């Protein structure tokens, strides 16, 4: 253990440092005893560095992450990653914070994960979002240059989000429209389920590679299936039971919300399965239709009450086919046998009778009556 | 037989026959003016819009099962009867969604139910008026209290729609009746059309449905086969179809424009209209038979035998 | 037919013969399955389905069975309209066959009907649907069966008039000796029956001709309508058989089947009961047949040509083969009958009659079942139970015929019309009237 008055860095004694850790611990709502862990983690952390940038966002995605419990944010930060820059969670501010980011970028060049929250304005050279005097466009490009992978979290960072809704005055776009040369794993949602993000990070840390992605760069394990395909109200849809108005009897019965504008049939997500807040709820379960927040063309771009077209995947063969090959009962051995026997017997008897009959009737002495 | 009698016979037959022909010719006209009733109620099913959700099947059973003695159909491996899985229309299933699958990229759903023909064969052949067609709404309805279960309607229907409850000891015929006694009465629309979430089933007057159908064909020609099935088939039906694949692949047979019922009724009426021909035939035959009878009595009372009848008898009949 | 009772004779012989018990077994098996049908539904005993709603009960029992029963109709035309009284000896056996044929066809229909309890609807005018050929067939067949009963009544009445109560005594004795009525009561009872019969018979004879003519009019109507029944199946009946001429074809078909079956039945009967063959009458009948079949075949072929179906008829696929078999049986049988020598040969009469019955029946089967194709992969073959019900019905008919010819004067009296010189019956000249040597 170092001595309390040893300098850790310019103007910061060890004592100051530990005090800070305690403060951080307290701020993050972590148990007091963890401050030593934090200290150790920060000091000797060999976990992958993560730099988290915020641009045009509401911070909902971070908030969502804070409400996870397995792993908790503390476990994540202390045991799994080294969160070197996070404007909401980090202790430092101002130049100190910026320096922290810069140092991490240098120390972990080519190895850190860049997480982006919020869209990036591109109009007028991106002046509509500036942090520390630099446009977000510039910051993104700079930080992305040394990143191993980029995880845009939330629909804003993935596809542009609310600020990109027409007329999109700031020219807001997602990361994919700016960075073209780095692996990007989109975790859309408004906010996304934190476990989608956490699982992706865990996957990357464990297997050192990206999970399977769909054509929008979203991990298939979370975004591979439409809400309509695994929603608990699907049986109501199939049975033609729909909620007609908010608050009426059909709504209270928990019927399918398709006619109220549920975007489930066009939205790829796992909300119905993973659910939120560790309380097992998601919008449909409490009576509000899905708004398609993981999709670039639905969230905020289509009215909530607007009904979607239902695109079916290739139907399985369990439907009754048009051509039922064999209908009605055909010949069975017993009946065919009996029929054959009877026909044979009849023909045989007939032949025998024909043989017995005289060929010439007149020889039997009948008087011939000509007619 | 003497030439005399043969000639008389032929003359009588000729006269009688001519009388019959004249009478029959006079009444040989079509029984009703066979026009198309475009105010009739019907449904337009658009196979390109159908998503195969089968909500129409389930709501039909829910709404109509108490009416008409239906029961849910069990899959053979499902002893508890939880899973209703009909493969075809049956004595428990009045409407059905089937799948025509050519490949993973080319498929179409198809909904079967009564076509509610303009000139229904089933109505024409039912001997006890159990199948009737409503003059106003055009709905072809079934009345089990009159039905004798002869299944002639099944023989007559070109679409093989009426189904019989073979497994019941007290069976009946089962087919769609446009929810005439259930949903149509309460809400003015058939249950399947009401519930379809994507609007693949349009309900309304035939003329409106035809207009919708032709508009769709015009606006989106690449999406559809350029034909409204049921517009002219067998004289027209009230259940119309639009589809993106050929109709015969969907199990809707290629049919001519003339209704079989008109053909058979024309022949039946030519022979029997006003019961003229049977009565004329009976009278002619009576006349001949009585004459023959008298002749026998006459020849018998006289001395000449015609050599055919040995033995003495008092009367001949 | 009052004074003709020497013309007909009651067949002497035991009723409970081996063939009686064999047929009875078949009848009982059939009735067992009929019982199953009522308890478990039609599907349990038959292979009929929604694609083939009519099976052999309709195709055979009704359509073909009534054609075979048309002997009475065909012979009645000859006797009463064409005035060929020489065929009169055949009329009662033909009538009995007809009575059974139609009665059992009606019985088969009742078994086949799904909602039989509503059949009283045929008598309620508000339910009549006169466009339906089946409506006409139903009423016509019911009326005709009644007419046949009336036409058969004279034979029954004669038996009643001449009964001696022997059977009644025997049956009562068999039940319980105490039940045997005393001689007075028996004779007074018999006297009552005899006098009633004697009162009724002449009155019936006076008006019988009107029923007889009705018995000619009605089959003309319903046999053609049996053909009309399939007019509606324009899209399902193979074009080799579906035509506007179906009523006419069915009518002519039933007439020549009628004559052929009379010949067939008469020869089999004569052989089975060891009686002489009525060669003159049968030969006369067989002369008429070829003219009928020529007309029938011409209409048939002409219609096929007109509708452009000859190519299909010669395609040698499933349908074509059945058409050709039907055609060749009828044409072959007819051609043979153009020869007078063949017409006087019992063997050839039998063979051609069989060919015509088979060909004519096959035509009806083709129209109702074999040529009927609802499409969509349906097929049908009767089930064992279904077959046994039909067999039971046919056995009942044969059984009934066998029994009734021994109870009533139905068969022709060989002495009465010119068999006296035949060497078969030298012996019988000395035997009392009514007794004929039989082997069964």
């Amino acid at each position: 253990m170092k001595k309390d008055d040893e300098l850790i860095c310019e103007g910061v004694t060890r004592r100051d440092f530990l005090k800070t850790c305690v403060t951080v611990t307290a701020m993050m709502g972590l148990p007091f005893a963890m401050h030593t862990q934090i200290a150790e983690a920060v000091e000797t952390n060999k976990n992958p560095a993560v730099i988290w940038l915020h641009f045009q966002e509401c911070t909902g995605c971070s908030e969502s992450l804070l409400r996870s419990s397995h792993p908790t944010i503390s476990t994540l930060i202390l045991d799994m990653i080294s969160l070197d820059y996070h404007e909401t969670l980090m202790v430092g501010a101002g130049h100190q914070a910026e320096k922290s980011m810069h140092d991490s970028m240098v120390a972990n060049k080519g190895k850190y994960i860049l997480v982006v929250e919020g869209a990036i304005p591109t109009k007028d050279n991106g002046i509509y979002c500036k942090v520390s005097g630099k446009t977000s466009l510039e910051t993104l490009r700079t930080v992305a240059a040394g990143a191993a992978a980029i995880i845009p979290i939330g629909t804003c960072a993935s596809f542009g989000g609310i600020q990109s809704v027409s007329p999109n005055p700031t020219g807001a776009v997602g990361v994919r429209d700016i960075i073209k040369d780095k692996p990007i794993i989109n975790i859309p949602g408004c906010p996304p389920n934190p476990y989608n993000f956490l699982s992706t990070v865990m996957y990357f840390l464990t297997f050192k590679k990206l999970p399977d992605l769909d054509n929008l760069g979203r991990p298939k394990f979370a975004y591979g299936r439409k809400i309509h395909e695994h929603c608990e109200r699907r049986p109501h849809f199939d049975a033609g039971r729909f909620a007609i108005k908010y608050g009426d009897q059909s709504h209270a019965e928990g019927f399918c919300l398709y006619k109220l504008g549920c975007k489930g049939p066009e939205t790829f997500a796992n909300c119905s399965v993973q659910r939120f807040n560790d309380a097992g709820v998601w919008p449909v379960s409490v009576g509000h239709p899905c708004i398609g927040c993981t999709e670039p063309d639905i969230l905020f771009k289509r009215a909530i009450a607007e009904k979607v077209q239902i695109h079916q995947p290739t139907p399985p063969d369990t439907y009754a086919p048009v051509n039922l090959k064999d209908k009605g009962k055909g010949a069975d051995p017993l009946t065919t046998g009996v029929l054959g026997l009877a026909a044979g017997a009849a023909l045989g008897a007939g032949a025998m009778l024909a043989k017995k009959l005289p060929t010439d009737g007149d020889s039997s002495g009948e008087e011939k009556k000509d007619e | 037989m003497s030439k005399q009698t043969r000639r008389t016979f032929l003359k009588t037959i000729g006269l009688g026959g001519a009388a019959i022909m004249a009478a029959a010719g006079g009444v040989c006209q079509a029984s009703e003016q066979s026009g198309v009733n475009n105010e009739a109620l019907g449904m337009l099913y658009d196979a390109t819009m159908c998503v195969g959700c089968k909500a129409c099947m389930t709501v039909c059973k829910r709404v109509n099962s108490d009416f008409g003695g239906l029961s849910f159909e069990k899959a053979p491996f499902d002893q508890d009867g939880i899973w209703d899985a009909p493969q075809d229309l049956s004595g428990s299933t009045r409407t059905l969604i089937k799948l025509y699958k050519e490949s993973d990229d080319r498929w179409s759903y198809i909904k079967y139910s009564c076509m509610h023909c303009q000139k229904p064969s089933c109505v024409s052949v039912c001997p006890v008026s159990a199948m009737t067609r409503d003059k106003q709404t055009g709905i072809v309805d079934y009345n089990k209290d009159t039905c004798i279960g002869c299944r002639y309607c099944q023989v007559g229907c070109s679409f093989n729609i009426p189904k019989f409850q073979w497994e019941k000891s007290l069976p009946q015929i089962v087919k769609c009746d446009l929810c005439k006694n259930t949903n149509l009465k309460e809400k003015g629309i058939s249950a399947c059309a009401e519930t379809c979430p994507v609007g693949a089933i349009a309900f309304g007057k035939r003329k409106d449905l035809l207009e919708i159908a032709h508009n769709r064909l015009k606006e989106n020609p690449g999406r559809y086969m350029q034909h409204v099935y049921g517009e002219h088939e067998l004289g027209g039906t009230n259940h119309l179809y639009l589809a993106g694949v050929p109709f015969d692949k969907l199990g809707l047979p290629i049919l001519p424009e003339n209704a079989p019922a008109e053909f058979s009724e024309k022949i039946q009426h030519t022979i029997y209209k006003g019961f003229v021909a049977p009565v004329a035939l009976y009278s002619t035959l009576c006349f001949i038979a009585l004459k023959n009878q008298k002749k026998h009595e006459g020849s018998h009372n006289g001395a000449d035998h015609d050599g055919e009848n040995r033995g003495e008898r008092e009367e001949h009949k | 037919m009052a004074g003709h009772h020497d013309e007909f004779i009651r067949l002497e012989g035991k009723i409970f013969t081996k063939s009686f018990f064999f047929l009875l077994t078949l009848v009982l098996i059939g009735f067992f399955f009929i019982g199953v049908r009522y308890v478990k539904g039609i599907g349990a005993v038959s292979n009929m389905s929604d694609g083939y709603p009519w099976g052999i009960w309709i195709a055979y029992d009704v359509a073909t069975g009534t054609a075979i029963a048309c002997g009475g109709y065909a012979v009645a035309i000859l006797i009463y309209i064409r005035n060929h009284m020489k065929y009169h000896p055949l009329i009662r056996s033909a009538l009995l066959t007809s009575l059974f044929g139609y009665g059992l066809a009606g019985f088969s229909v009742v078994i086949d009907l799904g909602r039989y309890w509503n059949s009283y609807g045929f008598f309620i005018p508000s339910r009549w649907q006169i466009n339906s050929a089946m409506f006409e067939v139903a009423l016509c067949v019911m009326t005709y069966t009644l007419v046949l009963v009336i036409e058969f009544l004279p034979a029954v009445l004669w038996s009643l008039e001449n009964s001696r109560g022997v059977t009644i005594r025997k049956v009562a004795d068999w039940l319980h000796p105490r039940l045997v009525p005393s001689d007075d009561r028996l004779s007074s009872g018999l006297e009552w029956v005899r006098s009633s019969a004697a009162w009724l018979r002449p009155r019936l004879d006076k008006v019988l001709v009107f029923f007889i003519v009705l018995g000619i009019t009605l089959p003309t109507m319903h046999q053609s309508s049996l053909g009309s029944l399939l007019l509606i199946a324009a899209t399902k009946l193979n074009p080799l058989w579906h035509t506007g001429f179906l009523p006419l074809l069915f009518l002519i078909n039933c007439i020549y089947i009628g004559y052929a079956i009379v010949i067939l039945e008469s020869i089999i009967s004569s052989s089975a009961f060891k009686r002489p063959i009525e060669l003159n009458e049968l030969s006369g009948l067989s002369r008429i047949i070829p003219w009928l079949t020529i007309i029938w075949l011409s209409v048939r072929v002409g219609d096929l040509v007109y509708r452009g179906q000859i190519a299909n008829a010669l395609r040698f696929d499933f349908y074509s083969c059945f058409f050709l078999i039907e055609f060749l049986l009828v044409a072959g049988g007819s051609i043979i009958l153009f020869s007078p020598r063949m017409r006087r040969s019992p063997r050839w009469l039998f063979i051609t009659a069989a060919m015509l019955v088979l060909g004519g029946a096959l035509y009806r089967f083709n129209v109702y079942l074999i040529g009927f194709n609802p499409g969509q992969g349906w097929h049908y073959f009767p089930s064992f139970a279904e077959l046994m019900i039909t067999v039971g019905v046919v056995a009942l008919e044969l059984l009934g015929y066998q029994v009734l010819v021994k109870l009533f004067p139905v068969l022709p009296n060989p002495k009465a019309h010119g068999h006296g010189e035949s060497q078969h019956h030298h012996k019988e000249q000395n035997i009392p009237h009514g007794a004929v040597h039989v082997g069964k």
Side-chain angles (χ1 to χ4, degrees), chain A residues 229-245:
Chain A
E229 301 297 319
H230 54 181
C231 169
E232 74 266 22
R233 295 196 179 186
R234 181 63 185 271
H236 290 301
F237 174 88
D238 287 339
R241 293 186 285 257
F242 297 97
I244 308 295
K245 256 170 38 165

Side-chain angles (χ1 to χ4, degrees), chain C residues 380-429:
Chain C
Y380 165 82
F381 194 84
S383 72
F384 181 68
E386 199 176 356
L387 189 63
M388 291 317 287
I389 290 180
T390 297
V391 166
V393 162
V394 173
L396 184 58
E397 179 174 341
L398 294 172
L399 189 64
Y401 184 88
Q402 250 186 12
V403 168
L404 288 184
V405 296
K406 293 173 185 166
L407 289 179
F408 302 115
V410 174
L411 294 175
N413 186 347
K415 218 172 59 131
H417 59 287
H419 285 278
E421 281 84 303
S422 104
Q423 59 207 73
H424 285 285
H425 298 285
H426 272 298
K427 282 196 273 182
E428 276 118 38
Q429 299 279 35

Side-chain angles (χ1 to χ4, degrees), chain B residues 1 5-6 9 13 31-32 88-91 112 119-131 142-160 162-173 234 251-253 255-256 260-265 267-269 271-272 275 278-279 281-283 285-286 288-290 292-293 295-296 306 308-317, chain C residues 1-4 6-7 37-44 46 48-55 57-58 79-88 112-122 126-136 204-217 220-222 224-225 228-236 242-245 247 372 374-376 378 416-418 421:
Chain B
M1 171 143 260
T5 333
R6 188 176 286 157
F9 170 74
I13 285 292
S31 47
E32 290 172 17
D88 202 358
L89 292 178
S90 75
Y112 292 136
K119 181 74 185 157
S121 299
C122 59
V123 170
S124 172
V125 299
C126 180
V128 287
S129 312
M131 288 286 191
Y142 168 73
N143 181 2
K144 72 174 188 204
D145 295 322
T146 320
C147 174
I148 56 172
C150 71
R151 310 185 296 282
Y152 197 6
C153 51
Q154 293 194 296
V155 172
C157 181
S158 303
F159 302 99
N160 295 323
K163 298 292 176 191
F164 189 71
Q165 294 177 324
W166 299 99
E167 72 287 356
K168 291 203 175 162
S169 56
L170 302 177
Q172 64 171 88
I173 289 278
L234 300 190
L252 294 171
L255 292 171
E262 286 196 358
F263 176 69
S264 72
E265 279 180 24
I267 294 179
Q268 191 73 356
H269 289 161
I271 304 176
Y272 290 105
F275 219 57
V279 168
L281 180 65
Y282 182 71
S283 326
L285 292 175
C286 266
I288 297 175
L290 286 170
N292 289 338
Q293 204 178 321
K295 213 182 300 157
H296 279 298
D306 48 338
E308 291 181 14
N309 303 294
R310 304 265 185 117
E312 274 59 41
R313 316 204 193 293
E314 258 98 67
E315 310 154 25
H316 283 266
K317 273 278 195 314
Chain C
M1 298 185 214
H4 285 228
D6 327 347
E7 202 181 349
R37 172 256 177 276
Y38 280 107
V39 170
K40 290 180 125 191
I42 299 179
S46 94
M48 289 189 278
S49 58
D50 292 316
Y52 281 96
W54 286 349
W57 295 343
I58 300 288
I79 298 172
Y80 298 104
I81 305 300
R82 294 288 289 134
N83 208 17
H84 291 298
M85 284 314 285
K86 82 169 199 180
Y87 297 113
H88 197 260
D112 180 80
L113 284 182
R115 296 177 71 79
Y116 41 91
W117 57 90
N118 278 336
S119 6
Y120 66 87
F122 279 113
S126 64
R127 293 196 194 175
W128 288 357
Q129 211 276 107
I130 57 174
N131 288 325
S132 166
M134 179 178 283
F135 171 73
E136 190 258 314
L204 183 59
D205 280 343
K206 278 214 183 67
V207 295
L208 202 65
V209 69
F210 294 105
F211 288 101
I212 293 171
V213 175
L214 199 55
I216 296 174
T217 314
T220 312
M221 290 165 64
H222 68 248
S224 58
S225 293
S228 304
L229 281 183
L230 266 295
L231 286 173
I232 194 72
T235 58
K236 299 202 266 195
H242 183 266
T243 158
F245 283 108
F372 186 81
Q376 303 169 357
W378 288 102
H417 59 287
E421 281 84 303

Side-chain angles (χ1 to χ4, degrees), chain C residues 329-352:
Chain C
L329 279 172
V330 174
S334 321
I335 290 177
I336 296 175
L337 286 178
F338 271 117
S339 145
R341 196 173 61 82
M342 294 301 202
R343 288 202 296 272
R344 291 204 67 83
S345 154
R347 177 185 296 177
W348 284 103
L349 280 176
F350 176 76
I351 293 176
T352 52

